[in-house]
Amino acid sequence: MSKQLPFSTVEVKPHNRFSARNLALVIASAGLLATGYNFSHHSWSLGDQKLLAPDQSVWNDADNPARVKTFQQCAIDNLLETGLPFMKNVAPIAVADFEERRDRLAQALVAEGADAFVVEPGYTFKYYGNVSQPEWEVWEPEERPFLMVIHPFHDKATGNVKANTTFLCPSFEAERARLLGMPFSEEISIVPWEEHWDPYATLWQSDVFMGLRQPARLMVDEEMRDFIQRGLGSAGFEIIGLQGQVEEVRQIKTAREVEILRAVNTGTVEAVRQMRKCLYPGLTENEITTALDDTLRAAGLDPFFDIVLFDENASNPHGGTNGSKVLEAETFVLIDVGAHLYGYSSDICRTFFPPFLQKPSKRDVLSPRMSEKLKVWDIVFEAQTRSIDQMRENMTAASVDIAARDVISHAGYGEAFTHRVGHGIGIKAHESPYMNQGNTASLLKTGMTFTSEPGIYLVDKFGVRHEDVLLVQGDGKPRLLTGSRARGPWEP
């Protein structure tokens, strides 16, 4: 059974520190005492809203590290006690999968009239060769070009188009390149270049492009740095940008990729839900960030960004404040978080109330501020529902955005929806196609995965965003890859 933080059992050691957090809690305590609250009880009422409360010593000592440690362990225990069902039937990308995707790339290159695809270490290199930029050069992007060159050939034995892969590599780094353990069933092929050579002319004169038409057409993606593109061009290559079927190779996910995305996104949502049960008054945004990151790590996920924002801080979609704001009963908590599993990304967002604020039985007795929070939460949820309904084969990326935007605009909050409704997701948290109202050229296809994340941001008040990840499945409903959507601000 999952835990809610047992406030009365938290051990607090007396000390003389007095911080801004203590001041906020003392003021809150004074206000509660003025309303007749008795700290010996475990709940109090504000109107018809009941709050769970710690004992007086814990409430008055927000800086005691035991509180934060107990909160953190509570979140980890809750998640582990679920048994991590989202991790079942998920496996990393195998060598055969990498070879299959390179073959699909080769076939796409033929269809697009390109002779080769050239990438340097980065996300695309990771997708085809399982090496990221930091894995090649941990300190910074290298000025010496290390390039993967994937070019098609016709396999006479099968009659199929398959991929040949060659690496342009500094001579002194060739052995290190071999030691990277890249996913090839045979030894990798390297075109070495010495420091005093022109590396691009070396590639041009190599066997890789022997017999091809002149000039050879090389396709590159957006991660290729300008000086490398210019160097290739000066050596005689024709450079073309990423497009068409070549771009779709990464956009359209295989079954194994989908299962990894399902696992990491469902697990990230579950971590937020289990952590929420352990929240208590006085925690800061930074403390929740740290605890959530450790909770994700305990489940085998690797967090790479975590945005925790309270109330008015969330009116800026990606924050920017220092994380010191303190959690109170009616705080609207916005958490946008991403983690990695087997190289694939999660990117989810939930907006909710803390567990010590009891759900009201009636909305008509709430304060105007609380009423507006609930109203906006519902509007954003409906906007997300409408956008999800548009995630079908051959719908435009623009139509998904417009569906959500219409709901929010008709509710009178159009100017407060300040960003696109979503984006593709895979090994990068943000991938093409991008779902904005101007992207009428991109058509959704079966196997593409997207976020839906509409939001409303009211300056100096609060922000609300819901974000889930979905898989396009023909002209039917998209498949949810986050387990389940939020059910309400008390059930994120």
Side-chain angles (χ1 to χ4, degrees):
M1 180 178 295
S2 63
K3 302 175 183 177
Q4 190 163 348
L5 192 66
F7 300 117
S8 59
T9 65
V10 176
E11 294 184 8
V12 180
K13 297 180 181 179
H15 61 77
N16 296 321
R17 293 178 61 192
F18 194 80
S19 67
R21 292 175 60 200
N22 291 100
L23 177 61
L25 292 173
V26 167
I27 293 172
S29 300
L32 292 169
L33 288 169
T35 65
Y37 172 68
N38 185 341
F39 277 102
S40 64
H41 297 163
H42 289 283
S43 66
W44 70 83
S45 295
L46 292 176
D48 66 344
Q49 302 161 46
K50 293 184 179 179
L51 312 179
L52 186 66
D55 60 57
Q56 185 174 7
S57 62
V58 175
W59 175 258
N60 286 334
D61 191 10
D63 285 331
N64 191 293
R67 285 166 53 107
V68 177
K69 185 176 180 180
T70 302
F71 158 62
Q72 187 174 56
Q73 193 59 51
C74 172
I76 292 171
D77 290 346
N78 277 354
L79 184 59
L80 295 181
E81 285 172 9
T82 67
L84 311 181
F86 50 86
M87 295 292 281
K88 294 179 180 178
N89 302 318
V90 62
I93 303 298
V95 171
D97 297 313
F98 281 101
E99 292 179 334
E100 186 272 338
R101 63 178 54 161
R102 289 193 295 266
D103 286 343
R104 284 192 288 121
L105 171 62
Q107 294 155 18
L109 288 168
V110 171
E112 297 295 335
D115 295 311
F117 187 63
V118 182
V119 291
E120 61 171 320
Y123 284 101
T124 305
F125 198 117
K126 182 78 173 177
Y127 181 78
Y128 290 111
N130 204 30
V131 175
S132 66
Q133 188 276 316
E135 288 168 333
W136 175 245
E137 293 292 359
V138 67
W139 49 87
E140 63 184 9
E142 174 67 90
E143 76 280 3
R144 301 179 180 95
F146 172 52
L147 305 179
M148 177 164 55
V149 183
I150 302 173
H151 46 104
F153 77 99
H154 289 274
D155 185 353
K156 294 181 180 179
T158 64
N160 297 326
V161 174
K162 299 181 74 68
N164 263 337
T165 305
T166 304
F167 295 88
L168 178 69
C169 182
S171 294
F172 77 96
E173 297 277 38
E175 184 59 24
R176 186 163 73 92
R178 292 188 176 93
L179 293 173
L180 289 171
M182 289 184 281
F184 291 83
S185 56
E186 300 177 355
E187 185 175 349
I188 64 173
S189 172
I190 293 178
V191 173
W193 59 275
E194 300 293 344
E195 293 271 50
H196 58 287
W197 295 356
D198 180 338
Y200 313 107
T202 300
L203 180 62
W204 173 259
Q205 295 162 9
S206 71
D207 292 342
V208 175
F209 296 102
M210 186 176 296
L212 292 180
R213 66 174 181 269
Q214 305 294 324
R217 300 184 77 213
L218 303 185
M219 187 175 289
V220 300
D221 73 355
E222 70 277 5
E223 294 181 352
M224 180 69 77
R225 288 173 292 174
D226 177 70
F227 79 89
I228 295 179
Q229 294 190 47
R230 286 186 285 110
L232 290 167
S234 67
F237 293 104
E238 178 188 352
I239 306 302
I240 58 176
L242 183 66
Q243 58 190 271
Q245 294 183 39
V246 174
E247 187 172 20
E248 288 178 1
V249 174
R250 236 180 83 181
Q251 290 175 340
I252 297 175
K253 307 301 189 289
T254 64
R256 191 185 294 264
E257 289 179 286
V258 169
E259 282 307 296
I260 298 173
L261 286 168
R262 175 202 56 75
V264 68
N265 281 279
T266 301
T268 304
V269 169
E270 192 61 30
V272 172
R273 288 171 174 161
Q274 297 302 329
M275 180 274 299
R276 175 188 173 273
K277 298 175 183 178
C278 303
L279 294 174
Y280 62 81
L283 283 168
T284 67
E285 296 157 320
N286 285 338
E287 288 167 342
I288 294 174
T289 297
T290 299
L292 180 55
D293 284 350
D294 287 344
T295 302
L296 289 163
R297 292 187 185 101
L301 308 181
D302 182 20
F304 63 94
F305 84 92
D306 194 345
I307 302 170
V308 178
L309 303 169
F310 296 165
D311 280 340
E312 68 272 14
N313 288 352
S315 64
N316 185 354
H318 287 164
T321 48
N322 64 11
S324 63
K325 190 170 176 60
V326 172
L327 182 65
E328 299 174 353
E330 293 187 2
T331 299
F332 235 173
V333 180
L334 186 153
I335 295 181
D336 191 343
V337 57
H340 286 140
L341 176 66
Y342 301 143
Y344 284 77
S345 301
S346 64
D347 186 4
I348 66 94
C349 187
R350 291 293 187 268
T351 306
F352 55 84
F353 288 116
F356 49 88
L357 177 65
Q358 190 175 61
K359 184 178 180 180
S361 57
K362 297 180 181 179
R363 289 195 178 190
D364 57 0
V365 296
L366 298 176
S367 67
R369 179 177 173 83
M370 278 291 291
S371 295
E372 186 173 29
K373 286 182 175 181
L374 294 176
K375 174 186 175 182
V376 169
W377 197 101
D378 289 343
I379 293 168
V380 175
F381 187 81
E382 178 60 20
Q384 187 190 45
T385 299
R386 297 290 182 87
S387 75
I388 290 172
D389 288 343
Q390 293 294 309
M391 288 188 183
R392 300 170 187 263
E393 180 91 7
N394 291 324
M395 299 299 291
T396 66
S399 70
V400 181
D401 181 284
I402 292 169
R405 202 165 299 278
D406 283 349
V407 172
I408 293 173
S409 295
H410 291 160
Y413 292 95
E415 293 184 358
F417 182 13
T418 55
H419 54 74
R420 67 190 177 211
V421 79
H423 51 80
I425 184 170
I427 60 172
K428 285 184 71 176
H430 290 199
E431 295 186 346
S432 65
Y434 300 102
M435 291 182 164
N436 61 71
Q437 59 185 321
N439 189 3
T440 57
S442 294
L443 298 180
L444 277 58
K445 296 191 176 183
T446 296
M448 289 183 173
T449 48
F450 295 98
T451 65
S452 172
E453 49 179 309
I456 292 176
Y457 310 95
L458 304 181
V459 177
D460 295 329
K461 290 184 176 181
F462 59 88
V464 174
R465 181 164 67 254
H466 309 315
E467 182 177 15
D468 288 276
V469 175
L470 300 108
L471 168 70
V472 177
Q473 300 188 119
D475 59 0
K477 290 184 178 180
R479 177 186 172 189
L480 188 65
L481 300 182
T482 44
S484 61
R485 295 173 65 198
R487 296 180 180 177
W490 281 270
E491 297 179 86

Short mmCIF file of all heavy atoms in Angstrom, two decimals, residues 95-131:
data_model
loop_
_atom_site.label_atom_id
_atom_site.label_comp_id
_atom_site.label_asym_id
_atom_site.label_seq_id
_atom_site.Cartn_x
_atom_site.Cartn_y
_atom_site.Cartn_z
N VAL A 95 21.54 -4.82 -31.76
CA VAL A 95 22.37 -4.58 -32.95
C VAL A 95 21.55 -4.75 -34.22
O VAL A 95 21.63 -3.95 -35.16
CB VAL A 95 23.59 -5.51 -32.95
CG1 VAL A 95 24.34 -5.42 -34.29
CG2 VAL A 95 24.53 -5.17 -31.81
N ALA A 96 20.72 -5.79 -34.25
CA ALA A 96 19.90 -6.04 -35.44
C ALA A 96 18.95 -4.88 -35.72
O ALA A 96 18.65 -4.57 -36.88
CB ALA A 96 19.11 -7.34 -35.27
N ASP A 97 18.47 -4.23 -34.65
CA ASP A 97 17.58 -3.08 -34.83
C ASP A 97 18.33 -1.91 -35.46
O ASP A 97 17.80 -1.21 -36.33
CB ASP A 97 16.99 -2.65 -33.49
CG ASP A 97 16.12 -3.72 -32.86
OD1 ASP A 97 15.28 -4.28 -33.58
OD2 ASP A 97 16.29 -4.00 -31.66
N PHE A 98 19.56 -1.67 -35.00
CA PHE A 98 20.36 -0.60 -35.59
C PHE A 98 20.64 -0.88 -37.06
O PHE A 98 20.58 0.03 -37.90
CB PHE A 98 21.67 -0.44 -34.83
CG PHE A 98 21.55 0.32 -33.53
CD1 PHE A 98 21.51 -0.35 -32.32
CD2 PHE A 98 21.46 1.70 -33.53
CE1 PHE A 98 21.40 0.34 -31.13
CE2 PHE A 98 21.36 2.41 -32.35
CZ PHE A 98 21.32 1.72 -31.14
N GLU A 99 20.95 -2.12 -37.38
CA GLU A 99 21.22 -2.46 -38.77
C GLU A 99 19.97 -2.30 -39.63
O GLU A 99 20.05 -1.82 -40.77
CB GLU A 99 21.77 -3.89 -38.85
CG GLU A 99 23.15 -4.01 -38.21
CD GLU A 99 23.70 -5.42 -38.23
OE1 GLU A 99 22.90 -6.38 -38.27
OE2 GLU A 99 24.94 -5.56 -38.22
N GLU A 100 18.83 -2.67 -39.08
CA GLU A 100 17.58 -2.52 -39.82
C GLU A 100 17.25 -1.06 -40.09
O GLU A 100 16.81 -0.69 -41.19
CB GLU A 100 16.45 -3.19 -39.03
CG GLU A 100 15.11 -3.25 -39.76
CD GLU A 100 14.25 -2.01 -39.53
OE1 GLU A 100 14.48 -1.32 -38.51
OE2 GLU A 100 13.37 -1.74 -40.37
N ARG A 101 17.49 -0.19 -39.10
CA ARG A 101 17.17 1.23 -39.32
C ARG A 101 18.16 1.87 -40.29
O ARG A 101 17.77 2.76 -41.06
CB ARG A 101 17.10 1.99 -38.00
CG ARG A 101 18.37 2.08 -37.20
CD ARG A 101 18.24 2.91 -35.92
NE ARG A 101 17.15 2.50 -35.05
CZ ARG A 101 17.08 2.84 -33.75
NH1 ARG A 101 18.05 3.57 -33.20
NH2 ARG A 101 16.07 2.46 -33.01
N ARG A 102 19.41 1.41 -40.30
CA ARG A 102 20.35 1.94 -41.31
C ARG A 102 19.95 1.48 -42.71
O ARG A 102 20.09 2.23 -43.68
CB ARG A 102 21.78 1.51 -40.97
CG ARG A 102 22.36 2.21 -39.74
CD ARG A 102 23.86 2.01 -39.62
NE ARG A 102 24.24 0.63 -39.37
CZ ARG A 102 24.44 0.10 -38.17
NH1 ARG A 102 24.28 0.84 -37.07
NH2 ARG A 102 24.81 -1.17 -38.05
N ASP A 103 19.43 0.26 -42.82
CA ASP A 103 18.95 -0.22 -44.13
C ASP A 103 17.73 0.59 -44.58
O ASP A 103 17.60 0.93 -45.77
CB ASP A 103 18.59 -1.70 -44.06
CG ASP A 103 19.82 -2.60 -44.01
OD1 ASP A 103 20.92 -2.13 -44.35
OD2 ASP A 103 19.67 -3.78 -43.63
N ARG A 104 16.84 0.91 -43.65
CA ARG A 104 15.69 1.76 -44.01
C ARG A 104 16.16 3.13 -44.46
O ARG A 104 15.59 3.73 -45.38
CB ARG A 104 14.73 1.89 -42.82
CG ARG A 104 13.87 0.65 -42.59
CD ARG A 104 12.75 0.92 -41.60
NE ARG A 104 13.24 1.07 -40.24
CZ ARG A 104 13.07 2.15 -39.49
NH1 ARG A 104 12.44 3.21 -39.98
NH2 ARG A 104 13.54 2.20 -38.25
N LEU A 105 17.20 3.64 -43.80
CA LEU A 105 17.77 4.92 -44.21
C LEU A 105 18.32 4.83 -45.63
O LEU A 105 18.11 5.73 -46.45
CB LEU A 105 18.86 5.34 -43.23
CG LEU A 105 19.71 6.55 -43.63
CD1 LEU A 105 18.84 7.80 -43.75
CD2 LEU A 105 20.84 6.78 -42.64
N ALA A 106 19.03 3.75 -45.93
CA ALA A 106 19.60 3.58 -47.27
C ALA A 106 18.51 3.58 -48.34
O ALA A 106 18.65 4.21 -49.40
CB ALA A 106 20.41 2.29 -47.33
N GLN A 107 17.41 2.90 -48.06
CA GLN A 107 16.30 2.86 -49.01
C GLN A 107 15.68 4.25 -49.17
O GLN A 107 15.30 4.65 -50.28
CB GLN A 107 15.26 1.85 -48.53
CG GLN A 107 15.78 0.41 -48.56
CD GLN A 107 15.07 -0.50 -47.58
OE1 GLN A 107 13.98 -0.19 -47.08
NE2 GLN A 107 15.67 -1.65 -47.27
N ALA A 108 15.60 5.00 -48.08
CA ALA A 108 15.07 6.36 -48.15
C ALA A 108 16.00 7.28 -48.94
O ALA A 108 15.54 8.16 -49.68
CB ALA A 108 14.84 6.90 -46.74
N LEU A 109 17.31 7.08 -48.80
CA LEU A 109 18.26 7.89 -49.55
C LEU A 109 18.09 7.69 -51.06
O LEU A 109 18.14 8.65 -51.84
CB LEU A 109 19.69 7.54 -49.13
CG LEU A 109 20.13 8.01 -47.74
CD1 LEU A 109 21.45 7.35 -47.35
CD2 LEU A 109 20.27 9.53 -47.71
N VAL A 110 17.89 6.44 -51.46
CA VAL A 110 17.66 6.16 -52.88
C VAL A 110 16.40 6.87 -53.35
O VAL A 110 16.37 7.50 -54.43
CB VAL A 110 17.56 4.64 -53.12
CG1 VAL A 110 17.11 4.35 -54.55
CG2 VAL A 110 18.90 3.96 -52.85
N ALA A 111 15.34 6.80 -52.53
CA ALA A 111 14.08 7.44 -52.90
C ALA A 111 14.22 8.95 -53.03
O ALA A 111 13.53 9.58 -53.84
CB ALA A 111 13.01 7.09 -51.87
N GLU A 112 15.10 9.55 -52.24
CA GLU A 112 15.28 11.00 -52.25
C GLU A 112 16.40 11.45 -53.18
O GLU A 112 16.69 12.65 -53.25
CB GLU A 112 15.55 11.51 -50.82
CG GLU A 112 14.41 11.28 -49.85
CD GLU A 112 13.15 12.06 -50.20
OE1 GLU A 112 13.27 13.11 -50.88
OE2 GLU A 112 12.05 11.63 -49.82
N GLY A 113 17.06 10.52 -53.86
CA GLY A 113 18.10 10.88 -54.81
C GLY A 113 19.38 11.36 -54.17
O GLY A 113 20.12 12.16 -54.76
N ALA A 114 19.67 10.87 -52.96
CA ALA A 114 20.91 11.25 -52.27
C ALA A 114 21.88 10.08 -52.29
O ALA A 114 21.48 8.91 -52.24
CB ALA A 114 20.61 11.66 -50.83
N ASP A 115 23.17 10.39 -52.35
CA ASP A 115 24.20 9.35 -52.40
C ASP A 115 24.63 8.86 -51.02
O ASP A 115 25.12 7.73 -50.89
CB ASP A 115 25.43 9.87 -53.15
CG ASP A 115 25.12 10.16 -54.61
OD1 ASP A 115 24.53 9.29 -55.27
OD2 ASP A 115 25.46 11.26 -55.07
N ALA A 116 24.48 9.70 -50.02
CA ALA A 116 24.89 9.30 -48.67
C ALA A 116 24.27 10.25 -47.65
O ALA A 116 23.85 11.37 -47.98
CB ALA A 116 26.41 9.30 -48.54
N PHE A 117 24.23 9.78 -46.42
CA PHE A 117 23.79 10.58 -45.28
C PHE A 117 24.98 10.72 -44.35
O PHE A 117 25.62 9.72 -43.99
CB PHE A 117 22.63 9.87 -44.57
CG PHE A 117 21.98 10.67 -43.48
CD1 PHE A 117 21.33 11.86 -43.76
CD2 PHE A 117 22.00 10.22 -42.17
CE1 PHE A 117 20.71 12.59 -42.76
CE2 PHE A 117 21.38 10.94 -41.15
CZ PHE A 117 20.73 12.13 -41.45
N VAL A 118 25.30 11.95 -43.98
CA VAL A 118 26.50 12.22 -43.17
C VAL A 118 26.09 12.89 -41.87
O VAL A 118 25.36 13.89 -41.88
CB VAL A 118 27.49 13.11 -43.94
CG1 VAL A 118 28.76 13.33 -43.11
CG2 VAL A 118 27.85 12.47 -45.28
N VAL A 119 26.56 12.34 -40.75
CA VAL A 119 26.25 12.91 -39.44
C VAL A 119 27.50 12.93 -38.58
O VAL A 119 28.40 12.11 -38.75
CB VAL A 119 25.14 12.12 -38.71
CG1 VAL A 119 23.80 12.30 -39.40
CG2 VAL A 119 25.49 10.65 -38.60
N GLU A 120 27.54 13.88 -37.67
CA GLU A 120 28.58 13.91 -36.65
C GLU A 120 27.96 13.54 -35.31
O GLU A 120 26.73 13.52 -35.18
CB GLU A 120 29.25 15.27 -36.60
CG GLU A 120 28.34 16.44 -36.25
CD GLU A 120 29.13 17.72 -36.01
OE1 GLU A 120 30.20 17.63 -35.38
OE2 GLU A 120 28.66 18.80 -36.42
N PRO A 121 28.76 13.21 -34.29
CA PRO A 121 28.19 12.76 -33.01
C PRO A 121 27.13 13.72 -32.48
O PRO A 121 27.34 14.92 -32.38
CB PRO A 121 29.42 12.69 -32.10
CG PRO A 121 30.53 12.31 -33.03
CD PRO A 121 30.23 13.09 -34.29
N GLY A 122 26.00 13.16 -32.14
CA GLY A 122 24.84 13.90 -31.67
C GLY A 122 23.66 12.95 -31.61
O GLY A 122 23.83 11.72 -31.62
N TYR A 123 22.45 13.48 -31.58
CA TYR A 123 21.28 12.62 -31.45
C TYR A 123 21.08 11.70 -32.65
O TYR A 123 20.74 10.53 -32.51
CB TYR A 123 20.03 13.48 -31.23
CG TYR A 123 19.92 14.03 -29.83
CD1 TYR A 123 20.26 15.35 -29.55
CD2 TYR A 123 19.47 13.23 -28.78
CE1 TYR A 123 20.17 15.86 -28.27
CE2 TYR A 123 19.38 13.72 -27.49
CZ TYR A 123 19.73 15.04 -27.24
OH TYR A 123 19.64 15.54 -25.97
N THR A 124 21.30 12.22 -33.86
CA THR A 124 21.11 11.39 -35.04
C THR A 124 22.18 10.31 -35.13
O THR A 124 21.91 9.16 -35.49
CB THR A 124 21.10 12.25 -36.31
OG1 THR A 124 20.11 13.27 -36.18
CG2 THR A 124 20.77 11.41 -37.53
N PHE A 125 23.41 10.66 -34.79
CA PHE A 125 24.49 9.68 -34.71
C PHE A 125 24.13 8.61 -33.68
O PHE A 125 24.35 7.41 -33.89
CB PHE A 125 25.79 10.39 -34.33
CG PHE A 125 27.06 9.63 -34.62
CD1 PHE A 125 27.99 10.14 -35.53
CD2 PHE A 125 27.35 8.44 -33.98
CE1 PHE A 125 29.17 9.46 -35.80
CE2 PHE A 125 28.53 7.75 -34.24
CZ PHE A 125 29.44 8.26 -35.15
N LYS A 126 23.55 9.04 -32.56
CA LYS A 126 23.12 8.11 -31.53
C LYS A 126 22.06 7.16 -32.07
O LYS A 126 22.07 5.95 -31.78
CB LYS A 126 22.56 8.88 -30.33
CG LYS A 126 22.12 8.03 -29.15
CD LYS A 126 23.28 7.55 -28.33
CE LYS A 126 22.82 6.83 -27.07
NZ LYS A 126 23.96 6.30 -26.29
N TYR A 127 21.16 7.68 -32.88
CA TYR A 127 20.08 6.87 -33.43
C TYR A 127 20.62 5.78 -34.36
O TYR A 127 20.15 4.64 -34.34
CB TYR A 127 19.10 7.77 -34.19
CG TYR A 127 17.92 7.03 -34.77
CD1 TYR A 127 16.84 6.64 -33.98
CD2 TYR A 127 17.89 6.72 -36.13
CE1 TYR A 127 15.76 5.96 -34.52
CE2 TYR A 127 16.81 6.04 -36.68
CZ TYR A 127 15.75 5.67 -35.87
OH TYR A 127 14.69 4.98 -36.41
N TYR A 128 21.61 6.11 -35.18
CA TYR A 128 22.12 5.15 -36.16
C TYR A 128 23.38 4.41 -35.69
O TYR A 128 23.67 3.31 -36.17
CB TYR A 128 22.43 5.85 -37.49
CG TYR A 128 21.19 6.30 -38.22
CD1 TYR A 128 20.89 7.65 -38.35
CD2 TYR A 128 20.32 5.38 -38.78
CE1 TYR A 128 19.76 8.07 -39.03
CE2 TYR A 128 19.18 5.78 -39.45
CZ TYR A 128 18.90 7.13 -39.57
OH TYR A 128 17.77 7.54 -40.24
N GLY A 129 24.13 5.02 -34.76
CA GLY A 129 25.40 4.42 -34.35
C GLY A 129 25.60 4.28 -32.86
O GLY A 129 26.65 3.81 -32.41
N ASN A 130 24.61 4.72 -32.07
CA ASN A 130 24.62 4.56 -30.61
C ASN A 130 25.79 5.28 -29.93
O ASN A 130 26.30 4.83 -28.91
CB ASN A 130 24.63 3.09 -30.21
CG ASN A 130 24.08 2.88 -28.81
OD1 ASN A 130 23.23 3.63 -28.35
ND2 ASN A 130 24.57 1.86 -28.12
N VAL A 131 26.19 6.42 -30.48
CA VAL A 131 27.22 7.25 -29.86
C VAL A 131 26.73 8.69 -29.85
O VAL A 131 26.41 9.25 -30.90
CB VAL A 131 28.57 7.16 -30.60
CG1 VAL A 131 29.58 8.14 -30.00
CG2 VAL A 131 29.12 5.74 -30.54
#
